[in-house]
């Protein structure tokens, strides 16, 4: 789905850097280096990016407007 706004463990705001992370990794950069450059040093924040699976494309066909 969507990346959470904050880290689940420490509460640091992480969502504002996700697109920058995804763009860098998609161009072939190493995720470890990208996270270092973005300023995420704690392993709890890093797992928010590395462990994220984007499922919005798979779920969106099932979200139709409900008719009443």
């Amino acid at each position: 789905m969507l990346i959470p706004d904050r880290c689940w463990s420490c509460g640091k705001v992480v969502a504002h850097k996700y697109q920058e992370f995804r763009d860098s990794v998609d161009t072939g950069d190493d995720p470890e280096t990208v996270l270092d450059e973005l300023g995420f040093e704690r392993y709890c924040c890093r797992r928010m990016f590395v462990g994220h699976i984007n499922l919005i494309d798979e779920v969106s066909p099932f979200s139709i407007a409900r008719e009443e």
Side-chain angles (χ1 to χ4, degrees):
M1 302 307 257
L2 302 174
I3 188 137
D5 292 334
R6 294 182 175 268
C7 175
W8 293 334
S9 298
C10 69
K12 182 176 181 176
V13 178
V14 295
H16 68 292
K17 296 286 187 174
Y18 180 72
Q19 190 60 45
E20 194 174 339
F21 169 77
R22 183 58 26 214
D23 292 341
S24 296
V25 171
D26 287 344
T27 59
D29 294 339
D30 181 39
E32 180 181 2
T33 307
V34 174
L35 289 170
D36 289 339
E37 292 172 357
L38 292 176
F40 293 107
E41 298 174 0
R42 296 183 190 130
Y43 66 90
C44 60
C45 297
R46 292 168 84 94
R47 65 120 193 243
M48 299 297 289
F49 290 95
V50 177
H52 181 71
I53 299 172
N54 195 3
L55 296 175
I56 194 72
D57 295 332
E58 295 179 27
V59 175
S60 61
F62 302 108
S63 60
I64 58 173
R66 292 188 177 143
E67 298 177 14
E68 294 181 23

Coordinates of all heavy atoms in Angstrom, one line a residue:
M1 N 0.8 -1.2 0.0 CA 0.0 0.0 0.0 C 0.9 1.2 0.0 O 1.9 1.3 -0.6 CB -0.9 0.0 1.2 CG -1.8 -1.3 1.3 SD -2.7 -1.5 -0.2 CE -4.3 -1.0 0.3
L2 N 0.5 2.2 0.8 CA 1.3 3.4 0.9 C 2.3 3.3 2.0 O 2.0 2.7 3.0 CB 0.4 4.6 1.1 CG -0.6 4.8 0.0 CD1 -1.6 6.0 0.4 CD2 0.0 5.2 -1.3
I3 N 3.5 4.0 1.9 CA 4.4 3.9 2.9 C 3.9 4.7 4.1 O 3.3 5.7 3.9 CB 5.8 4.4 2.4 CG1 6.9 4.2 3.5 CG2 5.7 5.9 2.1 CD1 8.2 3.7 2.9
P4 N 4.1 4.2 5.3 CA 3.6 4.9 6.5 C 4.3 6.3 6.7 O 5.5 6.5 6.2 CB 4.0 4.0 7.7 CG 4.2 2.7 7.1 CD 4.6 2.9 5.7
D5 N 3.6 7.3 7.3 CA 4.2 8.6 7.4 C 5.4 8.6 8.4 O 6.4 9.3 8.1 CB 3.2 9.6 8.0 CG 2.1 9.8 7.1 OD1 2.3 9.8 5.9 OD2 1.0 10.2 7.5
R6 N 5.3 7.8 9.4 CA 6.4 7.7 10.4 C 6.9 6.3 10.6 O 6.2 5.4 10.3 CB 5.9 8.3 11.7 CG 5.6 9.7 11.7 CD 5.1 10.2 13.0 NE 4.9 11.6 13.0 CZ 5.8 12.6 13.3 NH1 7.0 12.2 13.7 NH2 5.5 13.8 13.3
C7 N 8.1 6.2 11.1 CA 8.7 4.9 11.4 C 7.9 4.3 12.6 O 7.6 5.0 13.5 CB 10.2 5.1 11.8 SG 11.0 3.6 12.4
W8 N 7.6 3.0 12.5 CA 6.8 2.4 13.5 C 7.5 2.3 14.9 O 6.9 2.3 15.9 CB 6.5 1.0 13.1 CG 5.5 0.9 11.9 CD1 4.7 1.9 11.5 CD2 5.4 -0.1 11.0 NE1 4.0 1.5 10.4 CE2 4.5 0.2 10.0 CE3 6.0 -1.4 10.8 CZ2 4.1 -0.6 9.0 CZ3 5.7 -2.2 9.8 CH2 4.7 -1.8 8.9
S9 N 8.8 2.3 14.9 CA 9.6 2.1 16.1 C 9.9 3.4 16.8 O 9.7 3.6 18.0 CB 10.8 1.3 15.9 OG 10.5 0.0 15.5
C10 N 10.6 4.3 16.1 CA 11.1 5.6 16.7 C 10.2 6.8 16.4 O 10.4 7.8 17.1 CB 12.5 5.8 16.2 SG 12.7 6.3 14.5
G11 N 9.3 6.7 15.4 CA 8.5 7.9 15.1 C 9.0 8.9 14.2 O 8.4 9.9 14.0
K12 N 10.2 8.7 13.6 CA 10.8 9.7 12.7 C 10.0 9.7 11.4 O 9.5 8.7 10.9 CB 12.2 9.3 12.4 CG 12.9 10.2 11.5 CD 14.4 9.8 11.3 CE 15.1 10.8 10.4 NZ 16.5 10.5 10.2
V13 N 9.8 10.9 10.9 CA 9.0 11.1 9.6 C 9.9 10.5 8.5 O 11.0 10.8 8.3 CB 8.7 12.5 9.4 CG1 8.0 12.7 8.1 CG2 7.9 13.1 10.5
V14 N 9.3 9.5 7.7 CA 10.0 8.9 6.7 C 9.4 9.0 5.3 O 10.0 8.8 4.3 CB 10.3 7.4 7.0 CG1 11.1 7.2 8.2 CG2 9.0 6.6 7.2
A15 N 8.1 9.2 5.2 CA 7.3 9.1 4.0 C 7.8 10.2 3.0 O 7.7 9.9 1.8 CB 5.8 9.3 4.2
H16 N 8.2 11.3 3.4 CA 8.6 12.4 2.5 C 9.8 12.1 1.7 O 10.1 12.7 0.7 CB 8.8 13.7 3.2 CG 10.0 13.8 4.1 ND1 10.1 13.0 5.3 CD2 11.1 14.5 4.1 CE1 11.2 13.2 5.9 NE2 11.9 14.1 5.1
K17 N 10.6 11.1 2.0 CA 11.8 10.7 1.3 C 11.6 9.4 0.5 O 12.6 9.0 -0.2 CB 13.0 10.5 2.3 CG 13.3 11.7 3.0 CD 14.1 12.7 2.1 CE 14.6 13.8 3.0 NZ 15.5 14.7 2.2
Y18 N 10.5 8.8 0.5 CA 10.3 7.5 -0.2 C 10.5 7.6 -1.7 O 11.1 6.8 -2.3 CB 8.9 6.9 0.1 CG 8.8 5.6 -0.5 CD1 9.5 4.5 -0.1 CD2 7.9 5.4 -1.6 CE1 9.4 3.2 -0.7 CE2 7.8 4.2 -2.3 CZ 8.5 3.1 -1.8 OH 8.4 1.9 -2.4
Q19 N 9.9 8.6 -2.3 CA 9.9 8.8 -3.8 C 11.4 9.0 -4.2 O 11.8 8.5 -5.2 CB 9.0 9.9 -4.3 CG 8.9 9.9 -5.8 CD 8.3 8.6 -6.3 OE1 7.3 8.1 -5.8 NE2 8.8 8.1 -7.4
E20 N 12.1 9.8 -3.5 CA 13.5 10.0 -3.8 C 14.3 8.7 -3.7 O 15.2 8.4 -4.5 CB 14.1 11.1 -2.8 CG 15.4 11.7 -3.2 CD 15.7 12.8 -2.2 OE1 14.9 13.4 -1.5 OE2 16.9 13.1 -2.2
F21 N 14.0 8.0 -2.6 CA 14.7 6.7 -2.5 C 14.3 5.7 -3.6 O 15.2 5.1 -4.2 CB 14.2 6.0 -1.1 CG 14.6 4.6 -1.0 CD1 15.9 4.2 -0.7 CD2 13.7 3.6 -1.2 CE1 16.3 2.9 -0.5 CE2 14.0 2.2 -1.0 CZ 15.3 1.9 -0.7
R22 N 13.1 5.6 -4.0 CA 12.6 4.7 -5.1 C 13.3 5.1 -6.4 O 13.7 4.3 -7.2 CB 11.1 4.8 -5.1 CG 10.4 3.9 -6.1 CD 10.7 2.4 -6.1 NE 11.0 1.8 -4.8 CZ 11.9 0.8 -4.7 NH1 12.4 0.2 -5.7 NH2 12.1 0.3 -3.5
D23 N 13.3 6.4 -6.7 CA 13.9 6.9 -8.0 C 15.4 6.5 -8.0 O 15.9 6.1 -9.1 CB 13.7 8.4 -8.1 CG 12.3 8.8 -8.3 OD1 11.4 7.9 -8.7 OD2 11.9 10.0 -8.1
S24 N 16.1 6.7 -6.9 CA 17.5 6.4 -6.9 C 17.8 4.9 -7.1 O 18.7 4.5 -7.8 CB 18.2 6.9 -5.6 OG 18.1 8.3 -5.6
V25 N 17.0 4.1 -6.4 CA 17.2 2.6 -6.5 C 16.8 2.1 -7.9 O 17.4 1.2 -8.4 CB 16.4 1.9 -5.4 CG1 16.4 0.4 -5.6 CG2 16.9 2.3 -4.0
D26 N 15.8 2.7 -8.5 CA 15.3 2.3 -9.8 C 16.4 2.6 -10.9 O 16.5 2.0 -11.9 CB 14.0 2.9 -10.2 CG 12.8 2.3 -9.4 OD1 13.0 1.2 -8.8 OD2 11.8 2.9 -9.4
T27 N 17.2 3.6 -10.6 CA 18.3 4.0 -11.6 C 19.5 3.1 -11.4 O 20.5 3.2 -12.1 CB 18.7 5.5 -11.5 OG1 19.1 5.7 -10.2 CG2 17.5 6.4 -11.9
G28 N 19.5 2.3 -10.3 CA 20.6 1.3 -10.2 C 21.5 1.6 -9.0 O 22.5 0.9 -8.8
D29 N 21.2 2.6 -8.2 CA 22.0 2.9 -7.0 C 21.8 1.9 -5.9 O 20.8 1.3 -5.8 CB 21.7 4.3 -6.5 CG 22.1 5.4 -7.4 OD1 22.9 5.2 -8.3 OD2 21.5 6.5 -7.3
D30 N 22.8 1.7 -5.1 CA 22.8 0.8 -4.0 C 21.8 1.3 -2.9 O 22.0 2.5 -2.5 CB 24.2 0.6 -3.4 CG 24.2 -0.4 -2.3 OD1 23.5 -1.4 -2.4 OD2 25.0 -0.2 -1.3
P31 N 20.8 0.6 -2.4 CA 19.9 1.0 -1.4 C 20.6 1.5 -0.1 O 20.2 2.5 0.5 CB 19.0 -0.2 -1.1 CG 19.1 -1.0 -2.3 CD 20.5 -0.8 -2.9
E32 N 21.7 0.8 0.3 CA 22.4 1.2 1.5 C 23.0 2.6 1.3 O 22.9 3.4 2.2 CB 23.6 0.2 1.7 CG 24.4 0.5 3.0 CD 25.5 -0.5 3.2 OE1 25.7 -1.4 2.4 OE2 26.2 -0.3 4.2
T33 N 23.6 2.9 0.2 CA 24.2 4.2 -0.1 C 23.1 5.3 -0.1 O 23.3 6.4 0.4 CB 25.0 4.2 -1.4 OG1 25.9 3.1 -1.4 CG2 25.7 5.5 -1.6
V34 N 22.0 5.0 -0.8 CA 20.9 6.0 -0.9 C 20.4 6.3 0.5 O 20.2 7.5 0.8 CB 19.8 5.4 -1.8 CG1 18.6 6.3 -1.8 CG2 20.3 5.2 -3.2
L35 N 20.2 5.3 1.3 CA 19.6 5.6 2.7 C 20.6 6.4 3.5 O 20.2 7.2 4.3 CB 19.3 4.3 3.4 CG 18.0 3.6 2.8 CD1 17.9 2.2 3.4 CD2 16.8 4.4 3.1
D36 N 21.9 6.1 3.3 CA 22.9 6.9 4.0 C 22.9 8.4 3.6 O 22.9 9.3 4.4 CB 24.3 6.4 3.8 CG 24.6 5.1 4.5 OD1 23.9 4.8 5.5 OD2 25.5 4.3 4.1
E37 N 22.7 8.6 2.3 CA 22.6 10.0 1.7 C 21.4 10.7 2.2 O 21.4 11.9 2.4 CB 22.7 9.9 0.2 CG 24.1 9.5 -0.3 CD 24.1 9.3 -1.8 OE1 23.0 9.4 -2.5 OE2 25.2 9.0 -2.3
L38 N 20.3 9.9 2.4 CA 19.0 10.6 2.8 C 19.0 10.8 4.3 O 18.1 11.5 4.8 CB 17.8 9.7 2.4 CG 17.6 9.5 0.9 CD1 16.4 8.5 0.7 CD2 17.2 10.9 0.3
G39 N 20.0 10.3 5.0 CA 20.0 10.6 6.5 C 19.3 9.6 7.4 O 19.1 9.9 8.5
F40 N 19.1 8.4 6.8 CA 18.4 7.4 7.7 C 19.5 6.4 8.2 O 20.0 5.6 7.5 CB 17.4 6.6 6.9 CG 16.2 7.5 6.5 CD1 16.0 7.9 5.2 CD2 15.3 7.9 7.5 CE1 14.9 8.7 4.9 CE2 14.2 8.7 7.1 CZ 14.0 9.1 5.8
E41 N 19.8 6.6 9.5 CA 20.9 5.8 10.1 C 20.4 4.7 10.9 O 21.1 3.7 11.0 CB 21.8 6.7 10.9 CG 22.5 7.8 10.1 CD 23.3 8.8 10.9 OE1 23.3 8.6 12.2 OE2 23.9 9.7 10.4
R42 N 19.2 4.9 11.5 CA 18.7 3.8 12.4 C 18.1 2.7 11.5 O 17.5 2.9 10.5 CB 17.5 4.4 13.2 CG 18.0 5.4 14.2 CD 16.8 5.9 15.0 NE 17.1 7.0 15.8 CZ 16.4 8.1 15.8 NH1 15.3 8.2 15.2 NH2 16.8 9.2 16.5
Y43 N 18.4 1.5 12.0 CA 17.9 0.3 11.2 C 16.4 0.2 11.2 O 15.8 -0.3 10.3 CB 18.5 -1.0 11.8 CG 18.1 -1.4 13.2 CD1 17.0 -2.2 13.4 CD2 18.8 -0.9 14.3 CE1 16.6 -2.5 14.7 CE2 18.5 -1.3 15.5 CZ 17.3 -2.1 15.7 OH 17.0 -2.4 17.0
C44 N 15.7 0.8 12.2 CA 14.3 0.7 12.2 C 13.7 1.6 11.1 O 12.7 1.2 10.4 CB 13.7 1.1 13.6 SG 14.1 2.8 14.1
C45 N 14.3 2.7 10.8 CA 13.8 3.6 9.7 C 14.2 3.0 8.4 O 13.4 3.1 7.4 CB 14.4 5.0 9.8 SG 13.9 5.8 11.3
R46 N 15.4 2.4 8.3 CA 15.8 1.8 7.0 C 14.9 0.6 6.6 O 14.7 0.4 5.4 CB 17.3 1.3 7.2 CG 18.2 2.5 7.4 CD 19.6 2.0 7.8 NE 20.4 1.6 6.7 CZ 21.3 2.3 6.1 NH1 21.5 3.6 6.4 NH2 22.0 1.9 5.1
R47 N 14.4 -0.1 7.6 CA 13.6 -1.3 7.2 C 12.3 -0.8 6.6 O 11.6 -1.5 5.9 CB 13.4 -2.2 8.4 CG 12.6 -1.5 9.5 CD 11.3 -2.2 9.9 NE 10.6 -1.3 10.7 CZ 10.2 -1.5 11.9 NH1 10.5 -2.7 12.5 NH2 9.6 -0.6 12.6
M48 N 11.8 0.4 7.0 CA 10.6 1.0 6.4 C 10.7 1.1 4.9 O 9.7 0.9 4.2 CB 10.3 2.3 7.0 CG 10.1 2.3 8.5 SD 8.7 1.3 9.1 CE 7.3 2.3 8.5
F49 N 11.9 1.4 4.4 CA 12.1 1.6 3.0 C 12.4 0.2 2.3 O 11.8 -0.1 1.3 CB 13.3 2.5 2.7 CG 12.9 3.9 3.1 CD1 13.3 4.5 4.3 CD2 12.3 4.7 2.1 CE1 13.0 5.8 4.6 CE2 12.0 6.1 2.4 CZ 12.3 6.6 3.7
V50 N 13.3 -0.5 2.9 CA 13.8 -1.8 2.3 C 12.7 -2.8 2.3 O 12.5 -3.6 1.4 CB 15.1 -2.3 3.0 CG1 15.5 -3.6 2.4 CG2 16.2 -1.2 2.9
G51 N 11.9 -2.9 3.4 CA 10.9 -3.9 3.5 C 9.5 -3.5 2.9 O 8.6 -4.3 2.9
H52 N 9.4 -2.4 2.3 CA 8.1 -1.9 1.8 C 7.8 -2.6 0.4 O 8.7 -2.7 -0.4 CB 8.2 -0.4 1.5 CG 6.9 0.1 1.0 ND1 5.7 0.2 1.8 CD2 6.6 0.6 -0.2 CE1 4.8 0.7 1.0 NE2 5.2 1.0 -0.2
I53 N 6.6 -3.1 0.3 CA 6.2 -3.7 -0.9 C 5.0 -2.9 -1.5 O 4.0 -2.7 -0.7 CB 5.7 -5.2 -0.7 CG1 6.9 -6.0 -0.2 CG2 5.2 -5.8 -2.0 CD1 6.5 -7.4 0.2
N54 N 5.1 -2.4 -2.7 CA 4.1 -1.5 -3.2 C 3.0 -2.4 -3.8 O 3.1 -3.0 -4.8 CB 4.7 -0.6 -4.3 CG 3.8 0.5 -4.6 OD1 2.7 0.6 -4.0 ND2 4.1 1.3 -5.6
L55 N 1.8 -2.4 -3.1 CA 0.7 -3.3 -3.5 C -0.5 -2.4 -4.1 O -1.5 -3.0 -4.4 CB 0.2 -4.1 -2.3 CG 1.2 -5.1 -1.8 CD1 0.6 -5.8 -0.6 CD2 1.5 -6.2 -2.8
I56 N -0.3 -1.1 -4.2 CA -1.4 -0.3 -4.6 C -2.0 -0.7 -6.0 O -3.2 -0.6 -6.2 CB -1.1 1.2 -4.5 CG1 -2.3 2.1 -4.6 CG2 -0.1 1.6 -5.6 CD1 -3.1 2.1 -3.4
D57 N -1.1 -1.1 -6.9 CA -1.6 -1.5 -8.2 C -2.4 -2.8 -8.2 O -3.3 -3.0 -9.0 CB -0.4 -1.7 -9.2 CG 0.3 -0.3 -9.4 OD1 -0.4 0.7 -9.4 OD2 1.5 -0.4 -9.7
E58 N -2.1 -3.7 -7.2 CA -2.8 -4.9 -7.1 C -4.2 -4.8 -6.4 O -5.1 -5.5 -6.6 CB -2.0 -6.0 -6.4 CG -0.7 -6.3 -7.2 CD 0.1 -7.3 -6.5 OE1 -0.5 -8.1 -5.6 OE2 1.3 -7.4 -6.7
V59 N -4.3 -3.8 -5.5 CA -5.5 -3.6 -4.7 C -6.4 -2.7 -5.4 O -7.7 -2.8 -5.2 CB -5.1 -3.1 -3.3 CG1 -6.3 -2.7 -2.5 CG2 -4.2 -4.1 -2.6
S60 N -6.0 -1.7 -6.1 CA -6.8 -0.7 -6.7 C -8.0 -1.2 -7.6 O -9.1 -0.6 -7.6 CB -6.0 0.3 -7.5 OG -5.3 -0.3 -8.6
P61 N -7.8 -2.3 -8.3 CA -9.0 -2.8 -9.1 C -10.2 -3.2 -8.2 O -11.3 -3.3 -8.6 CB -8.5 -4.0 -9.8 CG -7.0 -3.8 -9.9 CD -6.6 -3.1 -8.7
F62 N -9.9 -3.5 -6.9 CA -11.0 -4.0 -6.0 C -11.6 -2.9 -5.3 O -12.6 -3.1 -4.5 CB -10.4 -5.0 -5.1 CG -9.8 -6.2 -5.7 CD1 -8.5 -6.4 -5.8 CD2 -10.6 -7.1 -6.4 CE1 -7.9 -7.5 -6.4 CE2 -10.1 -8.2 -7.0 CZ -8.7 -8.4 -7.1
S63 N -11.2 -1.6 -5.4 CA -11.7 -0.5 -4.7 C -12.7 0.3 -5.7 O -12.3 1.2 -6.3 CB -10.6 0.4 -4.2 OG -9.9 0.9 -5.2
I64 N -13.9 -0.2 -5.7 CA -14.9 0.5 -6.5 C -15.8 1.3 -5.7 O -16.0 1.1 -4.5 CB -15.7 -0.5 -7.4 CG1 -16.4 -1.5 -6.4 CG2 -14.8 -1.3 -8.4 CD1 -17.3 -2.5 -7.1
A65 N -16.5 2.3 -6.3 CA -17.4 3.1 -5.5 C -18.6 2.3 -5.2 O -19.2 1.5 -6.0 CB -17.8 4.3 -6.4
R66 N -19.0 2.4 -3.9 CA -20.2 1.6 -3.5 C -21.5 2.3 -3.8 O -21.6 3.5 -3.6 CB -20.1 1.4 -2.0 CG -19.0 0.5 -1.6 CD -19.1 0.1 -0.1 NE -18.0 -0.8 0.2 CZ -17.3 -0.8 1.3 NH1 -17.6 0.1 2.2 NH2 -16.4 -1.7 1.5
E67 N -22.4 1.6 -4.4 CA -23.7 2.2 -4.7 C -24.7 1.9 -3.6 O -24.8 0.8 -3.1 CB -24.2 1.6 -6.0 CG -23.3 1.9 -7.2 CD -23.8 1.2 -8.5 OE1 -24.9 0.8 -8.5 OE2 -23.0 1.1 -9.4
E68 N -25.4 3.0 -3.2 CA -26.3 2.8 -2.2 C -27.7 2.9 -2.7 O -28.1 3.4 -3.6 CB -26.1 3.8 -1.1 CG -24.8 3.6 -0.4 CD -24.5 4.6 0.7 OE1 -25.4 5.2 1.2 OE2 -23.3 4.8 1.0

